[in-house]
Amino acid sequence: ALRAAGATAGRAAAQWWAQETLGGRAVGGVRPAALQILDALDDGDPAVLDGLPTADPYFLGDDQARYAEAAPPGGPAWQELTAHRVDEARWAWCGGFDDAVTDEVARQCRIVLHPTGDDRDLSHLHPDRVRPGGPGVFAGDWAWTPNADGEMRVPVGFAGTLVDNWNGWAVFTCTRQVAEAIVADQQAARGRYRKHLAAHGVAGVQQDRMVDESMARMRFDGDVIDVDETRVHGDPDAVDRITAGADGRYTVMGRSWTWIAVHPYDCDRITGDIPDPVEQPPTPAA
């Protein structure tokens, strides 16, 4: 009961702290601060952790009041507790407080960083933790774009399963929904480049040629992705038709484009269902 009471107080303290650091009363960009705090929680960095609300287990002044508020009916009276039990009561309340602070601070940081405001822990999708056969979020290494604050961001990440590494680049499979989003993103990129050329006076056949030389044509033809890179590579045979595998999943430009695993927190949005951690097999008994 004392630990639960301490946890309630810890969550409240963390929420007030978050308002000053990550919420409406925060000054400046909050994303870098949220990422730094999450990393510090993972690494146990005292430079950051010392700034979080904390309960002092060596301060005796609040013991009796806390005990009176939290002890359940039928529990021993404060006056009946031995010195050892008093210490246990204090440490239980303070431990509940501190654990709840770190949990709530991490949750608040995840909300700030998550592209959809979700508070799920996505640390399993950190690029360093993505393994073949496991889930990840992927983007082209060309996708990084500065936002209005000068932060390098990935406008859209694509949820998938890593199946291979090709010359250091990721090869992943994805659902039809994600494959359609990749095709749409390519078409949008071509459209942006076309507008850029038009703004600089390039039009007509020359504009078409420059767009096609820069980026592949992509479209869905039924259940097949048609990819035309003939002008990109100057090769009339550089045409590919990407079909879904037996599991219905697509490998879009794997071993062709330079895909990388990216952190979901670096994405403005993510296409596809963000996967939960893959359950690891139990470690064999010694």
Side-chain angles (χ1 to χ4, degrees):
L2 286 161
R3 176 170 283 279
T8 299
R11 279 191 292 273
Q15 287 163 4
W16 278 105
W17 176 90
Q19 280 296 311
E20 299 288 346
T21 309
L22 305 171
R25 292 193 289 271
V27 177
V30 297
R31 279 184 170 274
L35 194 56
Q36 180 188 22
I37 293 162
L38 275 183
D39 287 343
L41 291 175
D42 282 344
D43 299 338
D45 181 358
V48 173
L49 300 185
D50 287 351
L52 301 182
T54 186
D56 184 356
Y58 299 103
F59 178 72
L60 282 60
D62 294 334
D63 286 353
Q64 187 168 349
R66 289 170 178 169
Y67 187 83
E69 291 174 0
W78 172 258
Q79 293 76 10
E80 298 173 7
L81 298 181
T82 64
H84 177 66
R85 292 298 190 193
V86 166
D87 285 344
E88 284 189 327
R90 184 189 317 118
W91 282 86
W93 193 95
C94 291
F97 183 100
D98 289 344
D99 288 346
V101 164
T102 54
D103 288 347
E104 181 62 19
V105 165
R107 191 180 78 86
Q108 295 285 341
C109 289
R110 292 195 295 265
I111 290 172
V112 167
L113 292 167
H114 197 290
T116 62
D118 197 336
D119 65 353
R120 277 193 300 159
D121 183 359
L122 301 181
S123 58
H124 64 290
L125 298 177
H126 190 288
D128 291 344
R129 301 181 187 177
V130 177
R131 297 289 183 269
V137 176
F138 304 92
D141 73 320
W142 62 87
W144 294 94
T145 305
N147 64 12
D149 297 324
E151 295 177 82
M152 295 302 291
R153 304 282 299 162
V154 177
V156 56
F158 304 103
T161 299
L162 182 69
V163 293
D164 195 9
N165 288 290
W166 165 76
N167 291 336
W169 306 108
V171 180
F172 67 98
T173 64
C174 62
T175 63
R176 166 76 184 242
Q177 172 202 8
V178 174
E180 288 177 350
I182 294 172
V183 171
D185 188 63
Q186 177 73 355
Q187 292 172 345
R190 286 173 56 89
R192 288 192 298 271
Y193 186 47
R194 190 177 291 280
K195 288 181 180 179
H196 170 78
L197 292 174
H200 287 77
V202 180
V205 173
Q206 184 185 8
Q207 183 188 97
D208 292 341
R209 177 180 56 77
M210 291 181 68
V211 172
D212 288 344
E213 286 176 350
S214 177
M215 285 175 268
R217 292 175 176 266
M218 294 182 72
R219 69 182 184 90
F220 258 95
D221 178 15
D223 293 328
V224 178
I225 304 173
D226 273 340
V227 183
D228 184 343
E229 294 185 299
T230 52
R231 285 192 171 178
V232 173
H233 299 299
D235 179 359
D237 295 325
V239 178
D240 197 8
R241 285 175 60 82
I242 302 171
T243 59
D247 56 0
R249 296 175 66 85
Y250 291 83
T251 304
V252 183
M253 304 308 289
R255 304 178 183 87
S256 179
W257 285 1
T258 50
W259 294 105
I260 57 174
V262 294
H263 201 303
Y265 296 153
D266 289 328
C267 302
D268 292 333
R269 63 185 178 90
I270 295 172
T271 297
D273 295 330
I274 298 176
D276 291 321
V278 172
E279 205 170 306
Q280 299 297 321
T283 303

